[in-house]
Amino acid sequence: MSVLRRSSRLLAKSVIDATMRGATGDSGATTSKARIIGPKRVDGRVPLKKQRASASGVKGSPIKANAAAPTAANIVEIKAVTTTSTAIISAPISTQGTDFIETAKQHLSRTDPRLGEFIARCPKACTLISPRGKSGSCFEALAKSIIYQQISGLAARAIYAKFLRLFDLDLPKAIVVSVDPNDDWGEQSTAPRFPTPSQVLSMSIDTLRSAGLSLRKAEYILELAQQFNSGNLSDVSLSSMSDEQVSRTLTSIRGIGQWTVDMFLMFHLHRPNVLPTLDLAVKKAMCQHFGVPYGKNTPKHAELVELAKVWEPYRSVAAWYMWQLLDTVTL
């Protein structure tokens, strides 16, 4: 079954479930009768997959969710939701208005009542729509991600400060206490200036390494600078690409993997439907949330994508709440 057909099927289920709740006076709040606890329900209903598996003698997968077929009365509404979802997926959060996060939260609460229950009690406000890194430069965001890769936040901040000073750029005091590489520079009104790609290319590898960068990271940043300086990459071109195109383009550059691309899509391009399956915290939280066993190499990417279909087209917002869930509950 194609991705489009699977998405339509999940959307159909979301509409039908919402319609049923509306008919019984359910406003979307979680109740003991309808609360989802992973692949099972507490209302005694047997998922369709397990019914079919029992009939055939084959054990069903606990990962794959099942959706009821749409009824004739829901067809028009399902088509409208599908069209709206496509538009949401293709547009950055920042262009969808200040009510976007509230709309996403309401949708997630309807399609995943258990997540809705957590959203209602989460003490933090979702910050995905907040601008990250006030300079707005894609080159800065990607170069900074490379600097911060695979080292502690304290070490990364020190190296980042030395890197900027190679170009006679000073950091605001806020960076000294900042932990998040995607932060908005605390209370400062402006972010520090960042070197242009041509300025970075004027530096030798040895000079870049003097800031504390490893040989590989220095090479990666120079290669990234070359891509932007030559015009192969630009803020305009990256912003106009689909999520898949951004992923293919950036992962072809040394030093940029899928995790870095996912963070770039979520926090810099503000894309609403990103699922960072390589992020261990998101994976652990999803396993806890859906009741799926967590292992070093499991569940696989495809299984996490299947679980997260209920969150579309707001997977970025749901992933943000997965980070909060892990901070709240110890695994």
Side-chain angles (χ1 to χ4, degrees):
M1 184 178 291
S2 68
V3 173
L4 180 59
R5 290 178 62 192
R6 287 198 301 270
S7 298
S8 297
R9 184 185 64 185
L10 264 294
L11 286 166
K13 183 178 185 300
S14 299
V15 172
I16 294 166
D17 287 347
T19 302
M20 292 176 65
R21 284 192 292 272
T24 58
D26 186 352
S27 62
T30 303
T31 67
S32 60
K33 292 184 179 180
R35 181 166 59 88
I36 297 175
I37 54 171
K40 298 179 181 178
R41 284 182 174 269
V42 298
D43 59 2
R45 292 169 55 194
V46 180
L48 183 59
K49 179 80 172 184
K50 291 190 176 182
Q51 292 177 19
R52 292 174 177 169
S54 297
S56 61
V58 179
K59 185 177 181 180
S61 168
I63 296 285
K64 193 170 183 178
N66 297 278
T71 64
N74 297 127
I75 293 297
V76 174
E77 188 173 1
I78 290 167
K79 287 182 178 179
V81 172
T82 303
T83 302
T84 302
S85 299
T86 301
I88 290 169
I89 292 170
S90 62
I93 293 172
S94 56
T95 68
Q96 298 188 43
T98 56
D99 294 333
F100 173 82
I101 296 298
E102 283 305 312
T103 300
K105 288 162 60 176
Q106 291 172 15
H107 173 85
L108 293 171
S109 297
R110 287 195 302 268
T111 61
D112 186 347
R114 191 181 186 194
L115 178 57
E117 188 179 75
F118 175 73
I119 289 173
R121 70 173 188 270
C122 182
K124 297 180 181 179
C126 181
T127 57
L128 278 178
I129 202 169
S130 302
R132 300 288 198 151
K134 291 185 176 66
S135 71
S137 164
C138 291
F139 173 63
E140 175 181 349
L142 292 167
K144 191 176 180 182
S145 293
I146 291 174
I147 292 172
Y148 272 72
Q149 284 174 0
Q150 298 180 335
I151 55 177
S152 71
L154 184 62
R157 291 196 301 277
I159 293 171
Y160 184 62
K162 292 178 182 178
F163 173 80
L164 290 185
R165 290 179 183 130
L166 291 176
F167 305 90
D168 295 324
L169 303 174
D170 293 324
L171 284 167
K173 292 181 180 180
I175 195 63
V176 177
V177 296
S178 173
V179 175
D180 183 2
N182 293 305
D183 60 25
D184 59 1
W185 311 105
E187 299 301 321
Q188 300 294 319
S189 60
T190 58
R193 291 178 299 131
F194 195 81
T196 65
S198 61
Q199 287 176 318
V200 172
L201 289 171
S202 70
M203 297 288 180
S204 67
I205 287 182
D206 288 342
T207 301
L208 293 176
R209 292 194 67 191
S210 71
L213 292 170
S214 67
L215 174 60
R216 287 298 177 89
K217 285 189 177 182
E219 292 174 345
Y220 295 158
I221 289 175
L222 286 172
E223 183 173 334
L224 180 68
Q226 179 59 45
Q227 292 290 330
F228 277 91
N229 194 60
S230 67
N232 288 338
L233 293 178
S234 70
D235 287 11
V236 173
S237 64
L238 287 169
S239 296
S240 64
M241 294 179 187
S242 68
D243 293 358
E244 293 75 16
Q245 289 171 328
V246 171
S247 180
R248 288 196 300 269
T249 299
L250 293 183
T251 54
S252 68
I253 300 172
R254 288 199 310 153
I256 300 179
Q258 189 59 52
W259 182 88
T260 297
V261 172
D262 289 342
M263 297 302 105
F264 176 72
L265 285 168
M266 291 178 69
F267 292 106
H268 191 80
L269 295 184
H270 305 294
R271 299 296 174 84
N273 200 40
V274 180
L275 184 68
T277 59
L278 293 180
D279 189 277
L280 291 181
V282 170
K283 180 186 282 190
K284 286 180 179 180
M286 286 185 68
C287 287
Q288 176 180 286
H289 177 70
F290 289 106
V292 175
Y294 172 78
K296 183 178 181 180
N297 298 312
T298 56
K300 301 295 185 182
H301 169 78
E303 294 171 328
L304 292 171
V305 169
E306 186 70 20
L307 286 172
K309 283 187 178 298
V310 71
W311 295 339
E312 292 184 339
Y314 302 103
R315 295 186 303 180
S316 295
V317 178
W320 188 90
Y321 278 104
M322 288 297 101
W323 279 313
Q324 311 315 308
L325 178 66
L326 200 65
D327 286 342
T328 303
V329 182
T330 302
L331 293 179

